[in-house]
Amino acid sequence: MSQEPVQAGAGIAEQRLPRHVAIIMDGNGRWAKRRMLPRYMGHREGVKAVRRAVEYCRKRNIEVLTLFAFSSENWRRPESEVGLLMELFVRTLRKEVARLHKNGVCMRFIGDRSAFDPKLQSLMDSAEAQTAGNTGMTLAIAVNYGGRWDIADAARRLAMQVARGELEPQDIDSERLGQELSITDLPEPDLFIRTGGEQRISNFLLWQLAYTELYFTDLLWPDFNADAFDEALRSFAGRQRRFGQTGDQVEAGRA
Ligand code: FPP
């Protein structure tokens, strides 16, 4: 397997950078438990790590950061934890959107937001509207999101177009279906990071991760800092992305 070596001592700035990083932020509960704190405190600390990750990406000119904040399966958590998470989302949006806007961040929410409290939905809508024209970077936050939901939703929309006579079934291919998915207008994720030690995709961007480099770390999300992000980027820079080609073809294309 031929791999591009990461030069010893090479700074991140000289390395090949991902355009889009997608993260499963796992380990907030364990972070709190280790400190004999309620799980909620781990989520609060997790918000600080979100802030750091956004600042990091902005500084490194990473174009898109997608974060899995609440999966469609997270409703199965104890009602009290779900309630506290919802409060945290509301409070975080109220507190952070102005600062994100000032820093040129365009915010997007992906997932079925219709299940959320109208107050939270309207905060999401107004954050998107306020930051829509920003070009510094895109922060996509997945809420009540599931990769299977995303694909099923896209299929449903195509079926509606067929039913209305706007689309022929034989014109449906992976490119056409891909156009109906969330964040289809953004570059596909180059690098997926999951903290917290589990090595799973857990129904995150199933379609969009087809060719994404996967990176897993045992660090708990509240402990994920700039050094840890540097390490993930170094790992990414050392990989050869082949997109189905041979290593020799990729090398020849680069020469
Ligand atoms: C997973 O850790 C974390 C979550 C389900 C919630 C993540 C949410 C935040 C960090 C807040 C982000 C807020 C915004 C507005 C972006 P876990 O509870 O599964 O941890 P465990 O595996 O240790 O139990």
Side-chain angles (χ1 to χ4, degrees), residues 25-32 37-50 69-70 74 77 80-82 84-86 88-89 92 221-222:
M25 313 177 284
D26 200 8
N28 293 346
R30 278 166 286 163
W31 184 93
L37 294 168
R39 291 177 58 81
Y40 169 72
M41 295 300 285
H43 296 312
R44 257 180 50 173
E45 205 60 27
V47 171
K48 292 185 195 165
V50 167
F70 194 83
N74 283 151
R77 294 190 171 209
S80 56
E81 182 170 343
V82 171
L84 287 168
L85 268 171
M86 295 300 142
L88 185 64
F89 291 153
T92 303
W221 175 247

Side-chain angles (χ1 to χ4, degrees), residues 1-3 211 213 240-248 250:
M1 201 166 81
S2 90
Q3 284 211 335
Y211 287 102
E213 295 296 331
Q240 184 190 56
R241 303 186 74 197
R242 294 207 285 266
F243 298 99
Q245 291 187 306
T246 67
D248 289 345
V250 174

Side-chain angles (χ1 to χ4, degrees), residues 9-70:
I12 299 289
E14 300 106 63
Q15 294 177 3
R16 204 160 47 89
L17 284 172
R19 293 178 68 192
H20 182 171
V21 178
I23 306 185
I24 294 188
M25 313 177 284
D26 200 8
N28 293 346
R30 278 166 286 163
W31 184 93
K33 198 169 170 196
R34 283 180 195 174
R35 289 163 179 76
M36 317 277 266
L37 294 168
R39 291 177 58 81
Y40 169 72
M41 295 300 285
H43 296 312
R44 257 180 50 173
E45 205 60 27
V47 171
K48 292 185 195 165
V50 167
R51 204 179 294 136
R52 281 199 303 266
V54 175
E55 281 165 10
Y56 181 94
C57 290
R58 188 78 185 87
K59 227 187 285 169
R60 294 252 182 265
N61 286 324
I62 290 169
E63 294 168 46
V64 187
L65 175 66
T66 300
L67 301 174
F68 208 0
F70 194 83

Side-chain angles (χ1 to χ4, degrees), residues 209-249:
L209 292 176
Y211 287 102
T212 304
E213 295 296 331
L214 307 181
Y215 179 86
F216 300 95
T217 169
D218 288 337
L219 279 178
L220 305 177
W221 175 247
D223 294 326
F224 191 79
N225 57 17
D227 287 344
F229 219 140
D230 279 350
E231 206 171 309
L233 294 194
R234 240 177 252 123
S235 166
F236 174 80
R239 301 183 194 190
Q240 184 190 56
R241 303 186 74 197
R242 294 207 285 266
F243 298 99
Q245 291 187 306
T246 67
D248 289 345
Q249 282 177 301

